[in-house]
Amino acid sequence: MKKLTQAYFAERRDHLAAEIGLRSIAIIATSPEVMRNNDADYKYRADSSFFYLTGFAEPEAVAVIETFDSEEEGYCYTLFCRERDRGMEIWNGYRAGLDGALNDYEADEAYAIDTLDEEIIAKLVNKDKVFYRIGHQEEFDTRVTQWLKQAEKNYRNAHIPAQIIQLNRIVNEMRLYKSSEEIELMQIASDISAQAHTRAMQTVEPGMMEYALEAELNYIFGKNGCVPSYNSIVGGGENACILHYVENNKELKDGDLVLIDAACEYEFYASDITRTFPVNGKFSEEQKALYNVVLKAQIAAIDQVRIGHSYQAPHHAAVKILVEGLLDLGIMKGKAEDIIKDESYRQFYMHGTGHWLGMDVHDVGAYTIDGKWRNYEDGMVVTVEPGLYIAPDDESVDLKWRGIGIRIEDDVVVTKKGPLILTKNVVKTIEDIEKLMAQS
Ligand code: GLY
Ligand code: MN
Ligand code: MN
């Protein structure tokens, strides 16, 4: 099983320590556990940025990076975490404890999480700046402010930081550029997700429930030790026109398409795939016509994911082809340039063409710099996911098109050699889909 090593997490802390500069402290907490209903929690998933810096997946943990007066002093990495507790471990499972934090997670100092309020105050003394994720967890904002006040009280003649700085800016930029090791993990997540979509194409049949098809995906994710990286969308027929349809509780009908937007995360790295295919294995003429417009738009958009191109270049390429297709099929009337300018195509294509992808499915990283779309750089990963959605009650459109929803989504790495598609192991041309489904 491929995993990042501790040395890898240490390199990220080195980088962060260099970014925050001397006489600074960065404080980063993991996510709280979340209750689903009485006494039953959602399965725990550590905060992505916290895990990025620590490799530590337990709840109730805070990482602190401190720098001092000179570079020679290096930095101190402290991990606050749960202490070992035989009773609690019998009920809720293994804890690394303070020894684990020092020995297995390479912390320089480790303290019980219950002592955070006391221990952190001394660490604020003689620092110029505090970096933390302002606005990320409300409760934490209040705590940081209280720590600063308390430090001023406790250490009247000492220097206490006057500046609180948004840590997100630094960590999000670090996370935006993926290393080859991270891409390897994303490739594994993509391969497992592609396998799940392939299985869905092979197992679907008219009369099946959407949730039963979702179960086929979950089987592949679970068998490979993965969980979905977001709630799976399995929308038959007109349900495909509801962009965030997650009920997945209707019957899949002969003659309809089914849109599946589902993928898993592997070792904290996400994949994000959408495929749309016919429930009975054969596209109708209308479905074919619309599908080929979306596919052409998607291929053209992927080709724009190149170093130096604007973040929006794939969107512009996709919109142009979608609009031309809608005009060719008589679904829209008018001139392409007017439709693009006034954005009236949004009646049928109302979302963006992609987003950053990484540890979070909608990954961190700014999309603009100084108010302008940023350009693609080596190692960034973006989804490319154009679609067309003809609402079932859209009387402006001929009846034969209504209720068809199509999206095709792949994950693409920006590389020096051009776009690298991580999710190519699941078919997407009409010919390949029909061939695969005929064999099943
Ligand atoms: N699956 C979420 C998205 O495509 O944005
Ligand atoms: Mn997506
Ligand atoms: Mn998606």
Side-chain angles (χ1 to χ4, degrees), residues 15 22 40 76 106 134 190 246 285 300 308 310 328 345 402 408:
H15 187 139
L22 297 176
C76 178
E106 299 183 359
I134 304 165
S190 298
V246 289
E285 288 312 306
S310 157
D328 284 347
Y345 63 81
R402 291 186 213 160
I408 308 170

Side-chain angles (χ1 to χ4, degrees), residues 10 17 28 42 47 49 65 108 124 138 140 165 177 182 199 217 222 242 248 261 290 295 344 357 370-371 405 411 429:
I28 187 157
Y42 283 103
D47 176 85
S49 289
I65 303 277
D108 300 309
L124 295 171
E138 243 176 64
F140 219 75
I165 300 176
Y177 299 87
E182 291 178 288
R199 184 179 173 96
L217 303 161
I242 304 168
N248 304 347
D261 185 345
L290 275 174
L295 182 60
S344 48
L357 181 73
D370 298 330
D411 305 341
T429 65

Side-chain angles (χ1 to χ4, degrees), residues 166-183:
Q166 179 56 283
L167 177 61
N168 266 342
R169 294 219 186 107
I170 299 173
V171 179
N172 293 0
E173 277 301 296
M174 287 169 65
R175 282 177 52 191
L176 178 58
Y177 299 87
K178 276 78 177 175
S179 66
S180 55
E181 288 86 349
E182 291 178 288
I183 300 294

Side-chain angles (χ1 to χ4, degrees), residues 230 261-262 272-274 355 361 385 407 409:
Y230 51 92
D261 185 345
D272 185 5
I273 303 184
T274 308
H355 48 82
V361 66
E385 50 181 304
R407 176 163 68 256
E409 174 174 29

Side-chain angles (χ1 to χ4, degrees), residues 285-295 322 325-326 329 331 388 390 401 404-406:
E285 288 312 306
E286 288 77 23
Q287 291 164 354
K288 256 187 201 168
L290 275 174
Y291 188 92
N292 277 330
V293 171
V294 177
L295 182 60
L322 294 175
L326 289 166
L329 298 175
I331 295 172
L388 284 175
I390 319 287
W401 303 112
I404 300 180
I406 295 164

